[in-house]
Amino acid sequence: MESLIILLSPLISFILISFFGKSIGDKISGIITSLAGAVSFVFSLGAVFRSLEEPYHIKLYKFLPLEGYDLSVGFYFDPLSSITSAVVTFVATLIFVYSIGYMHHEFGNWTFKFYAYLSLFLFAMLLIVLSDNLLGIFFGWEGVGLASYLLIGYYHQQLKASNASLEAFIMNRIGDWLFIFGIISCFLIFNSLDILTIFNKIPSADPYFLGLATLLLFGGAVGKSGQLPLHTWLPNAMAGPTPVSALLHAATMVAAGVYMIARLYPLFDAAPQTLKFVALIGGLTALFAALAATSHTDIKKIIAFSTMSQLGYMFLGLGVGDPEGAMYHLTTHAFFKALLFLAAGSVITAFHHKLYDIYSFGGLKRYMPVTYAGFTVGALSLAGVFPLSGFWSKDRLIGSYYEVSLVWGLLGSVVAFITAYYIFREGFVVFHGEERFRNRVGYEIREVGSEMKIPVLVLLVMSVIAGLAEGWYMKAVGGMEKSIHLDVALSSFILASLGIASAYVIFVKRIPNPEKAYSALKILHTTLKEQFFTEKLYHRVLAVGYLKGSKIVHTVGEKHIVDGFVNLLATAVQNVGKNLRFAQPGKLNWYAFGMVGGLSFLVVLLFVLLFTE
Amino acid sequence: MEHLLTVTIFLPLLTAGVVALLRNESFAKIASVSVSALVFLFSLVLFLKFDFNREGFQFVTKIDWIPPLGISYHLGLDGMAVSLILMTALLFFGVFVWSWRVEDRTVLYISLFLMLETACLGVFSALDFFLFYIFWEGMLIPMYFIIGLWGHERKVYAANKFFIYTFFGSLFLLLGFASVIIYGYFQNGFITFDYFEHLKMEYPLWLQSIAFLLFAIGFAVKIPMFPVHTWLPDAHVEAPTAGSVILAGVLLKMGTFGFVRYSLPLFPEASERYVPLIFILSVIAVIYAAMMAIAQTHIKRLIAYSSISHMGIVTLGTFALDGDALNGAVYMMIAHGLSSAALFFAAGFIYDRIHSYNMDDLGGLARYLPNFATVFMIAGLTSIGLPGLAGFIAEFLVLLGTFKKYPIWAIAAGSGMILGAAYFLYMYKRVMFEEETLPKSRIEKWKSLRDLEIHHIIPFVLILFAAFLLGLYPAPFVEIMNHTARFVLGG
């Protein structure tokens, strides 16, 4: 039962801060949140060791009786779930510590709410990771949706944040709509919501319905992980504070989609058509988002697109039948993506939360050496440079692609090149070259405080060494051990180096002049930056279209047709009633009193009759 | 103990008489709060003592009333009724606490609400057609006065519209009752108004088809179903806060309750035949009303449309003729009762403080009314079916049960999940967020606003606690509701 503390600790922290946050203060709230995360991490480690020996169950109480099946609240600890839980809580705790420094300038302004939401976020994510049934996963699923809504919209006084949070919630809900019907289909196929029971019954299931059910479940993952076509909320979610972005992209939320499919992999494995579709969506998103990242200029949005692209990698990995590879990449990605975001957050902090465009920085490496080191290691790892963690996991995935089809393999390699290019474009523009911020800011640029530096350093170390654990990880989660594909590794390494080199040549050596090159390729640049205009399309057609359509139906259909007919009828009746002068407000009082009096008399009579029987 | 149900039902009416006689305002307030608390306690006792494993109605009282006509004073509860009674008692207690500050014709106001409470509790308990109809109509009159006397600008228009609509519906219901009673007379040779006697009769299909439609029109107006729903937004817009709360929380459930209690068991074959019709209207209600909701700028009108949308889920679940779906439908009656009540309380609070329901006059309130922002958000999340709160369990059960036989309808109605989130969060955003887009003068006004007071907090806390309880530990409630499903579907 002590494994329950993993879940309880962030939950208690959430409840405690929600109710008493105001009196205990913002800083203490931040510390409580971080401690809760740390406690959760420690117990997750305990669960890892225990589940490596033997997976175990914790059942709590009967939750929902359905026809022929009683659903209980329960949690299942196997190596996959407990290791994921350890990774999630580890990264989350570091981000929580970092956020104490990041939000420092807002203390005294109800900032404890921020920490309450962070705890809620972690709790919901752990619910997804540890639940032993599909409905439990859905609870966490919507829980992270809510927490992300609250956190993205944390600066709700700004129009931008309030719009972004709304968009995130609705987009997620579209996915959840499919997801819940996926769960319902599973229940109808297997007459159970218990994951292990479902796995046992797979051989006897109708493959057609199974295909449908998995497709619907995947719909949920598309929404949550920001894959095509439900992707636009993810870059816009950058409106939230940077620790939120880090949390969203590294440990919680977007990882949920990948994890859910890995967790239910036997189900997807039995539906090969769905897996092909997963691969297609993943591959397309990987390319699409990488292209968008090459042209964007927002310090956080580039990293956001990079997450989308890396998640695409993972979905492609799931689609080609390497769930362990995908999960492993998820883990390494959690470290280096959190590192990149925290480094970006440090830059934003150094500039007093005012500047976000990468072209407004430049030459920061002199002023912020730790941040610079963090960002560079994160970028190298993301680019897949040997021997950093990203290299190992990405190499494994690309190797798996090539095993299945040349098309997927080539796509993986091309995206690897683009990835190296765009992340180093950001790195070079922000940390090297001319100090473009000089004429904009009057203050000195300083490195951030230690509560922000330490998490960055820890993540830096993890991003370097996490690759060494590949063998252990695969053995633990029961994945196939694949020896390193030397040809793939070599070609990826060369592509990554080429990407970095071209970014270096263009943005440091300025051959050709990047500004001129961008303006020459303006159409291409805008197309990529605007995500092939998908966001504008959604906004104009879906959001505004739905709103306008509803308003038109309201004025025409509701007011004139449906209500108009009735009012006509009412007028006729009222004309008859006029002679009776029934509805005169002045007399209504007396009517009403008369009625009350008369009825009460009847009741007294009734009581007398009843009790004198 | 024997007459606990009777006492529970009539205690409010008795109090209404006393209050009206004494005409003392502070006595009226104290009496209403304490009596409604007592009624809530009694209904809690009923709920806890209800044995859901035992088939058949419980707490039955039967006394001959007008023997020559076969009319009796006949009460009894099944799982659905006992749950609805508990919710009704909770909401009325909330309403009386909320009305602590009412100044305008207090005595009359409180006696009308007390009368209304008796009528509402009676509708759920009556097992005699005559008695049922008295309570059913008895509900109409106090509500008419509440809207007409304490409403806003167009109160008389709205009250009349409400009255004409529901009266029109009641007429059809009356015809429906008449048709089956006359049939019973010719069949058995004696007149009876008793529910169980009629249950035994097993009407022929022609009668079922006619009577089903007559009943259905009566219930559809009350629910309200598309296309007879337009009275509801008008009534809500004009009604005072407490009136809206009871209207949305309790009165709308009468129609769906009627479907489950009368239409399904009395006309089983006809119900099956009319499934496509009800489904079309339900799904239209879910989607159409959600579209209407997002087009509104008036908070109460938006919530009213959201009610219509949710009631579409209830009728869908009722007519899926499946145990899970029916449990979900009843669960939704309770969940919607809680969420709509909380939302109308929230709207009322905004009006109390700012004297406007118009979203264009609001905005940026979250920072100045933080406690209110929290309860408003939770109320909305209950309404849009967030897991962990009551609404989700209801939606899930209805969609699951409907999906078994009618997957396309279920998926179509499930889109309410998205549309619901859209209209609620879009409203929340316009009322509570986006301070930077507002004129400075308005922010200055907001700075002096007072957050929730104790007479606001008590109703909110009770309702939201119930919403959490039903969302986190649904098993006992579903089991009680399943008592009704077994009875209705004969499983």
Side-chain angles (χ1 to χ4, degrees):
Chain A
M1 288 304 264
E2 73 276 2
S3 300
L4 274 185
I5 295 174
I6 301 172
L7 284 146
L8 285 179
S9 152
L11 180 64
I12 291 170
S13 151
F14 165 64
I15 295 171
L16 202 69
I17 298 174
S18 309
F19 280 102
F20 306 109
K22 201 164 184 202
S23 42
I24 58 182
D26 293 337
K27 183 151 197 182
I28 312 256
S29 298
I31 292 169
I32 291 176
T33 305
S34 311
L35 278 179
V39 168
S40 201
F41 170 65
V42 170
F43 281 88
S44 295
L45 282 185
V48 171
F49 289 121
R50 219 182 121 187
S51 65
L52 278 177
E53 283 163 23
E54 205 188 359
Y56 60 103
H57 248 110
I58 294 178
K59 285 271 179 204
L60 286 185
Y61 62 93
K62 181 164 130 189
F63 184 71
L64 188 62
L66 297 169
E67 273 184 359
Y69 171 74
D70 282 342
L71 176 69
S72 301
V73 179
F75 304 99
Y76 181 59
F77 297 83
D78 63 353
L80 178 68
S81 64
S82 52
I83 293 175
T84 309
S85 147
V87 174
V88 166
T89 46
F90 178 74
V91 177
T93 307
L94 290 176
I95 295 170
F96 293 167
V97 172
Y98 178 90
S99 71
I100 298 176
Y102 188 86
M103 299 302 280
H104 192 265
H105 67 292
E106 302 211 8
F107 281 178
N109 207 354
W110 288 69
T111 315
F112 66 86
K113 275 195 317 186
F114 180 76
Y115 295 107
Y117 300 159
L118 287 181
S119 296
L120 177 68
F121 210 159
L122 181 60
F123 168 71
M125 184 64 196
L126 290 170
L127 213 53
I128 298 177
V129 173
L130 298 172
S131 277
D132 73 341
N133 63 74
L134 294 176
L135 204 66
I137 293 182
F138 191 76
F139 268 61
W141 200 260
E142 289 257 286
V144 293
L146 171 68
S148 66
Y149 167 79
L150 295 169
L151 284 166
I152 294 167
Y154 183 72
Y155 298 125
H156 56 68
Q157 60 274 28
Q158 301 170 0
L159 187 64
K160 189 178 77 169
S162 142
N163 281 335
S165 63
L166 181 70
E167 182 186 2
F169 198 89
I170 304 291
M171 283 271 181
N172 269 293
R173 266 273 158 132
I174 296 175
D176 294 356
W177 171 53
L178 300 172
F179 193 44
I180 193 80
F181 283 106
I183 293 174
I184 289 174
S185 318
C186 281
F187 177 70
L188 297 183
I189 297 170
F190 301 107
N191 197 33
S192 174
L193 287 171
D194 218 63
I195 293 174
L196 293 181
T197 320
I198 287 177
F199 289 168
N200 289 332
K201 289 188 185 168
I202 286 174
S204 58
D206 182 335
Y208 171 74
F209 287 117
L210 204 58
L212 212 67
T214 46
L215 212 54
L216 287 167
L217 289 175
F218 176 58
V222 168
K224 194 85 7 186
S225 293
Q227 300 292 290
L228 289 174
L230 299 177
H231 59 284
T232 53
W233 69 269
L234 192 59
N236 289 340
M238 292 301 112
T242 308
V244 174
S245 312
L247 198 60
L248 218 77
H249 286 237
T252 57
M253 190 81 179
V254 296
V258 177
Y259 175 80
M260 186 269 292
I261 295 183
R263 176 78 150 174
L264 303 176
Y265 205 73
L267 209 59
F268 283 83
D269 211 19
Q273 298 302 326
T274 308
L275 279 184
K276 280 190 187 145
F277 187 66
V278 173
L280 181 71
I281 294 287
L284 282 178
T285 311
L287 184 64
F288 174 91
L291 287 174
T294 56
S295 314
H296 223 288
T297 55
D298 185 293
I299 186 168
K300 281 164 73 184
K301 279 193 183 175
I302 296 172
I303 312 178
F305 281 119
S306 140
T307 307
M308 226 165 104
S309 170
Q310 295 300 307
L311 288 165
Y313 260 107
M314 297 172 211
F315 279 108
L316 185 52
L318 292 166
V320 301
D322 188 10
E324 295 83 10
M327 278 310 293
Y328 186 57
H329 192 53
L330 185 71
T331 308
T332 59
H333 176 261
F335 294 128
F336 63 71
K337 187 50 60 74
L339 178 59
L340 283 171
F341 265 118
L342 295 194
S346 298
V347 172
I348 292 168
T349 309
F351 285 87
H352 299 200
H353 303 260
K354 292 286 188 298
L355 300 181
Y356 291 93
D357 193 296
I358 53 171
Y359 287 107
S360 44
F361 306 113
L364 291 183
K365 65 176 174 175
R366 272 205 309 147
Y367 304 96
M368 309 178 72
V370 177
T371 307
Y372 174 60
F375 191 92
T376 310
V377 170
L380 285 170
S381 191
L382 172 64
V385 171
F386 180 83
L388 300 173
S389 60
F391 166 79
W392 302 99
S393 54
K394 204 188 247 184
D395 174 62
R396 180 184 163 109
L397 276 181
I398 296 179
S400 299
Y401 303 161
Y402 275 110
E403 282 169 19
V404 172
S405 115
L406 187 65
V407 180
W408 292 140
L410 284 177
L411 184 106
S413 299
V414 169
V415 174
F417 168 75
I418 305 175
T419 307
Y421 166 76
Y422 69 67
I423 197 66
F424 275 90
R425 164 178 173 260
E426 178 173 7
F428 289 136
V429 170
V430 172
F431 291 99
H432 289 250
E434 187 192 342
E435 296 174 3
R436 280 175 297 266
F437 57 85
R438 272 293 162 222
N439 49 6
R440 297 198 190 202
V441 295
Y443 41 79
E444 269 308 297
I445 302 307
R446 257 181 269 125
E447 185 60 280
V448 290
S450 56
E451 74 277 19
M452 294 170 78
K453 252 189 284 186
I454 290 166
V456 168
L457 287 171
V458 175
L459 284 168
L460 187 152
V461 173
M462 290 308 290
S463 300
V464 174
I465 62 167
L468 303 176
E470 185 180 351
W472 176 84
Y473 186 85
M474 290 303 157
K475 217 173 105 199
V477 300
M480 228 193 314
E481 269 202 70
K482 295 187 177 176
S483 56
I484 184 163
H485 302 69
L486 207 57
D487 44 349
V488 175
L490 210 61
S491 62
S492 308
F493 184 70
I494 292 170
L495 282 170
S497 313
L498 273 176
I500 297 169
S502 35
Y504 182 76
V505 171
I506 296 172
F507 294 100
V508 180
K509 294 286 163 205
R510 306 178 67 79
I511 317 168
N513 183 314
E515 285 81 23
K516 275 190 186 149
Y518 271 132
S519 49
L521 298 170
K522 196 161 194 301
I523 296 173
L524 179 69
H525 180 229
T526 319
T527 311
L528 295 181
K529 189 178 170 189
E530 296 286 336
Q531 310 162 48
F532 297 86
F533 301 104
T534 45
E535 195 197 338
K536 285 218 159 57
L537 183 81
Y538 288 179
H539 184 72
R540 297 250 166 89
V541 177
L542 292 180
V544 177
Y546 173 66
L547 202 61
K548 282 213 171 121
S550 300
K551 281 189 177 148
I552 290 168
V553 176
H554 179 247
T555 15
V556 180
E558 180 81 352
K559 276 192 185 153
H560 288 109
I561 300 172
V562 182
D563 208 25
F565 172 73
V566 176
N567 276 347
L568 213 68
L569 208 74
T571 323
V573 178
Q574 257 178 334
N575 281 337
V576 178
K578 241 180 202 160
N579 299 328
L580 301 170
R581 305 211 173 262
F582 179 60
Q584 277 195 359
K587 285 187 183 167
L588 278 185
N589 281 329
W590 291 107
Y591 284 121
F593 261 123
M595 186 182 59
V596 174
L599 274 172
S600 314
F601 176 71
L602 282 178
V603 175
V604 174
L605 215 64
L606 178 79
F607 268 71
V608 170
L609 282 176
L610 268 183
F611 291 99
T612 52
E613 253 183 286
Chain B
M1 214 52 218
E2 192 192 343
H3 293 302
L4 182 60
L5 184 56
T6 301
V7 173
T8 310
I9 294 172
F10 288 101
L11 197 56
L13 187 54
L14 197 65
T15 319
V18 176
V19 165
L21 277 178
L22 291 182
R23 309 198 79 166
N24 177 318
E25 291 197 1
S26 41
F27 171 76
K29 282 176 182 168
I30 293 166
S32 66
V33 170
S34 42
V35 164
S36 59
L38 201 61
V39 168
F40 176 64
L41 274 182
F42 286 167
S43 51
L44 196 62
V45 171
L46 290 171
F47 185 81
L48 294 175
K49 292 199 100 161
F50 189 87
D51 179 6
F52 56 82
N53 287 317
R54 196 155 61 83
E55 299 304 320
F57 283 70
Q58 296 168 30
F59 312 108
V60 176
T61 307
K62 190 175 179 185
I63 298 163
D64 280 345
W65 188 6
I66 313 175
L69 291 175
I71 296 172
S72 56
Y73 175 78
H74 192 178
L75 301 175
L77 299 178
D78 63 351
M80 167 176 65
V82 79
S83 317
L84 282 167
I85 281 184
L86 185 63
M87 180 201 70
T88 304
L90 176 75
L91 292 187
F92 270 98
F93 175 65
V95 158
F96 287 121
V97 174
W98 187 276
S99 304
W100 198 251
R101 290 281 169 81
V102 169
E103 311 262 287
D104 178 21
R105 288 164 286 184
T106 317
V107 173
L108 184 57
Y109 176 91
I110 281 175
S111 1
L112 285 173
F113 270 102
L114 285 167
M115 270 181 61
L116 191 59
E117 180 165 14
T118 291
C120 293
L121 295 172
V123 164
F124 296 133
S125 318
L127 287 175
D128 181 276
F129 291 169
F130 190 77
L131 192 61
F132 173 81
Y133 199 76
I134 288 181
F135 284 129
W136 178 274
E137 290 293 297
M139 221 159 56
L140 186 56
I141 299 156
M143 200 63 203
Y144 171 75
F145 286 120
I146 287 167
I147 299 174
L149 290 176
W150 286 270
H152 302 293
E153 295 83 24
R154 295 169 72 212
K155 57 191 175 188
V156 177
Y157 165 77
N160 284 339
K161 194 167 180 179
F162 164 78
F163 191 84
I164 291 165
Y165 253 99
T166 41
F167 196 71
F168 170 82
S170 300
L171 278 179
F172 279 89
L173 191 60
L174 190 66
L175 286 177
F177 278 126
S179 66
V180 294
I181 287 163
I182 292 168
Y183 171 81
Y185 176 69
F186 284 110
Q187 194 68 16
N188 306 331
F190 60 87
I191 290 179
T192 178
F193 282 74
D194 194 80
Y195 179 65
F196 293 112
E197 292 288 333
H198 278 272
L199 214 50
K200 276 189 279 185
M201 279 185 215
E202 294 182 358
Y203 312 130
L205 190 58
W206 64 267
L207 177 68
Q208 284 195 24
S209 309
I210 295 170
F212 179 90
L213 275 186
L214 292 172
F215 274 76
I217 293 174
F219 295 143
V221 169
K222 205 85 180 180
I223 289 174
M225 287 172 81
F226 179 87
V228 285
H229 60 275
T230 52
W231 66 269
L232 186 76
D234 283 324
H236 272 307
V237 164
E238 300 306 326
T241 303
S244 280
V245 167
I246 295 304
L247 183 58
V250 185
L251 263 59
L252 301 194
K253 310 301 172 302
M254 306 288 172
T256 51
F257 169 84
F259 271 130
V260 179
R261 171 64 64 78
Y262 294 96
S263 301
L264 291 185
L266 289 173
F267 322 119
E269 285 93 22
S271 300
E272 239 167 280
R273 284 192 154 197
Y274 284 111
V275 164
L277 175 72
I278 303 274
F279 269 26
I280 290 173
L281 294 180
S282 305
V283 171
I284 290 180
V286 171
I287 297 170
Y288 178 81
M291 283 177 74
M292 291 305 98
I294 206 167
Q296 305 305 325
T297 49
H298 189 289
I299 300 177
K300 284 181 98 175
R301 204 173 269 276
L302 187 148
I303 306 170
Y305 277 111
S306 90
S307 293
I308 300 169
S309 186
H310 281 108
M311 296 319 273
I313 297 279
V314 179
T315 46
L316 187 82
T318 307
F319 281 87
L321 304 178
D322 171 89
D324 288 329
L326 189 58
N327 287 342
V330 179
Y331 217 89
M332 184 57 105
M333 293 185 207
I334 308 289
H336 175 263
L338 298 172
S339 69
S340 62
L343 284 174
F344 276 117
F345 274 138
F349 176 78
I350 292 176
Y351 189 81
D352 279 355
R353 290 289 186 264
I354 301 170
H355 304 290
S356 174
Y357 288 119
N358 194 333
M359 291 175 219
D360 298 334
D361 300 339
L362 304 167
L365 288 168
R367 187 136 46 127
Y368 304 99
L369 302 169
N371 294 332
F372 171 69
T374 310
V375 293
F376 189 24
M377 178 53 90
I378 299 175
L381 293 174
T382 311
S383 158
I384 68 176
L386 193 90
L389 291 154
F392 171 72
I393 304 292
E395 241 172 74
F396 177 69
L397 286 173
V398 169
L399 296 180
L400 174 82
T402 311
F403 193 83
K404 289 179 194 167
K405 269 181 274 176
Y406 313 98
I408 302 296
W409 292 106
I411 290 182
S415 65
M417 255 177 85
I418 307 164
L419 305 179
Y423 64 67
F424 173 70
L425 294 179
Y426 186 54
M427 164 175 81
Y428 196 87
K429 171 173 123 79
R430 282 182 288 170
V431 175
M432 308 302 286
F433 293 162
E434 294 171 2
E435 212 179 310
E436 66 175 11
T437 62
L438 301 180
K440 284 271 179 303
S441 59
R442 209 182 287 177
I443 301 296
E444 283 307 312
K445 243 172 35 190
W446 285 185
K447 279 182 184 157
S448 60
L449 290 178
R450 207 169 149 206
D451 210 340
L452 298 178
E453 291 166 71
I454 190 75
H455 67 281
H456 303 123
I457 292 172
I458 293 171
F460 271 130
V461 165
L462 281 175
I463 291 172
L464 297 182
F465 174 79
F468 271 111
L469 184 68
L470 265 83
L472 294 171
Y473 189 38
F477 300 96
V478 173
E479 269 159 355
I480 283 196
M481 287 162 196
N482 201 39
H483 177 269
T484 299
R486 284 197 310 264
F487 163 67
V488 169
L489 301 172

